[in-house]
Amino acid sequence: QGEYLLLENRQSVGYDVQLPGGGGIIVYHIDNRAPGQSRPGFPGQENRRGIKWPANGAHYEVAVLAADGRYDLERDVGTGDGADPWREDHPDAFVASDGTVYEPLVLGPGGRDEDGGPFPNTDSYRRGEIV
């Protein structure tokens, strides 16, 4: 209740002609119960009591679920980049300058993952077909 995904199709035309990476689908996680934009949450994060994310409940009211899986906006690293939109030609992985390998996120049916989920999710579509 009060938590959902919002999808926005942004393409490099008209007003958005200078979008990095050619545009794509921007996926927003919306949680109307979250305390605004004051509690970022990301993999590896722990609160003062040692509870790891996402079990610690930390997340923004409105957050971009970036396809690159790096959680740059939550970590206060930059302002987004061309690897954030979801699109068919998205790279398989990204290697940061420090050597950290980030696997892209996968949209699919909701469920549990190794970090303890469940996370809000949805079916993934490609050319009108559920994949």
Side-chain angles (χ1 to χ4, degrees):
Q1 179 118 354
E3 188 171 11
Y4 56 94
L5 297 179
L6 176 68
L7 306 173
E8 181 182 24
N9 184 2
R10 302 285 301 269
Q11 300 301 318
S12 294
V13 295
Y15 179 80
D16 287 339
V17 73
Q18 295 186 5
L19 281 176
I25 303 295
I26 307 298
V27 179
Y28 300 92
H29 170 231
I30 313 290
D31 185 352
N32 295 322
R33 299 165 299 173
Q37 299 300 97
S38 63
R39 295 184 61 208
F42 48 86
Q45 176 197 48
E46 290 186 17
N47 66 13
R48 284 178 259 158
R49 292 180 283 171
I51 300 172
K52 290 187 174 189
W53 182 86
N56 64 20
H59 60 272
Y60 289 140
E61 181 177 7
V62 178
V64 172
L65 295 181
D68 59 20
R70 295 183 304 201
Y71 291 81
D72 288 341
L73 299 173
E74 288 80 5
R75 296 174 194 269
D76 200 22
V77 177
T79 58
D81 56 50
D84 292 343
W86 296 80
R87 57 182 185 270
E88 187 175 29
D89 65 344
H90 198 278
D92 290 334
F94 172 81
V95 180
S97 59
D98 67 359
T100 303
V101 177
Y102 293 93
E103 296 293 333
L105 298 177
V106 176
L107 282 182
R112 294 196 168 279
D113 76 359
E114 70 262 4
D115 288 328
F119 302 104
N121 218 328
T122 187
D123 288 334
S124 185
Y125 289 86
R126 180 178 296 157
R127 295 187 183 108
E129 299 291 323
I130 298 175
V131 293

